[in-house]
Amino acid sequence: MPAMMLSLAAAFTVTAAYPAEAAGMKRTITMVAVEPKGGTTVDKEPFPTTALPEGKGYELKAPNAEGRWEVSTYRWEPSQIIVNQGDEVTLEVLGVNGAEHPAVIDGYDITFTVKRGQLSTVTFTADKAGVFEFRCGIHQPSMTGELIVLPSG
Ligand SMILES: [Cu+2]
């Protein structure tokens, strides 16, 4: 029992000290630009009567001749990135769906384009704390995410 308590105490110390000791780390975040899709037929589920928000980020296809309807959306995955202020952050974004995604990270004046089949790499120092939106210039309003930079100190 004492040994177990000691190891728990050690684990807690490491966890509690993580943000301060980890600041300034090199972080690589792997992401994808994807288009999840779903669909069914009107004999199983009626076609939705409520429209989705305007923009190319959402698509609701009306039933075809066989009664099949489909829904899809464009997403960044993950769409929330959490780093510590001072970290050197590298985003490696693979384009899986969609020909291209011109992206911007607000507050950091960073722009990059993700193309299908290519890995786009963006490296920056997260020197400003706060919550910064990043988004695709084409697939709105869904292809939006947050860069969350936790303040150091
Ligand atoms: Cu896009």
Side-chain angles (χ1 to χ4, degrees):
M1 192 62 167
M4 185 180 174
M5 287 178 70
L6 182 63
S7 73
L8 281 175
F12 178 76
T13 302
V14 169
T15 303
Y18 175 78
E21 291 180 2
M25 283 177 62
K26 286 193 174 194
R27 308 277 302 275
T28 300
I29 315 283
T30 58
M31 301 170 63
V32 286
V34 288
E35 183 191 15
K37 292 183 182 181
T40 188
T41 51
V42 290
D43 59 325
K44 297 191 181 99
E45 291 172 40
F47 184 67
T49 55
T50 309
L52 293 174
E54 293 287 315
K56 293 184 175 176
Y58 292 116
E59 187 175 19
L60 187 57
K61 285 187 185 166
N64 64 13
E66 289 76 43
R68 181 173 175 81
W69 59 270
E70 295 184 342
V71 60
S72 64
T73 182
Y74 279 96
R75 303 279 304 163
W76 300 113
E77 293 296 340
S79 58
Q80 280 190 322
I81 298 164
I82 303 172
V83 299
N84 293 310
Q85 187 175 13
D87 284 352
E88 184 185 307
V89 179
T90 298
L91 307 180
E92 289 184 354
V93 193
L94 179 65
V96 175
N97 301 110
E100 85 174 26
H101 307 277
V104 60
I105 304 176
D106 283 347
Y108 273 84
D109 296 323
I110 293 170
T111 60
F112 57 99
T113 297
V114 175
K115 294 186 175 181
R116 183 175 11 231
Q118 296 181 25
L119 197 62
S120 296
T121 300
V122 182
T123 298
F124 60 96
T125 300
D127 54 358
K128 285 173 280 190
V131 178
F132 305 92
E133 186 178 290
F134 59 90
R135 63 185 169 278
C136 169
I138 297 174
H139 302 105
Q140 287 303 307
S142 63
M143 205 172 183
T144 301
E146 289 180 334
L147 168 68
I148 299 166
V149 182
L150 303 175
S152 62

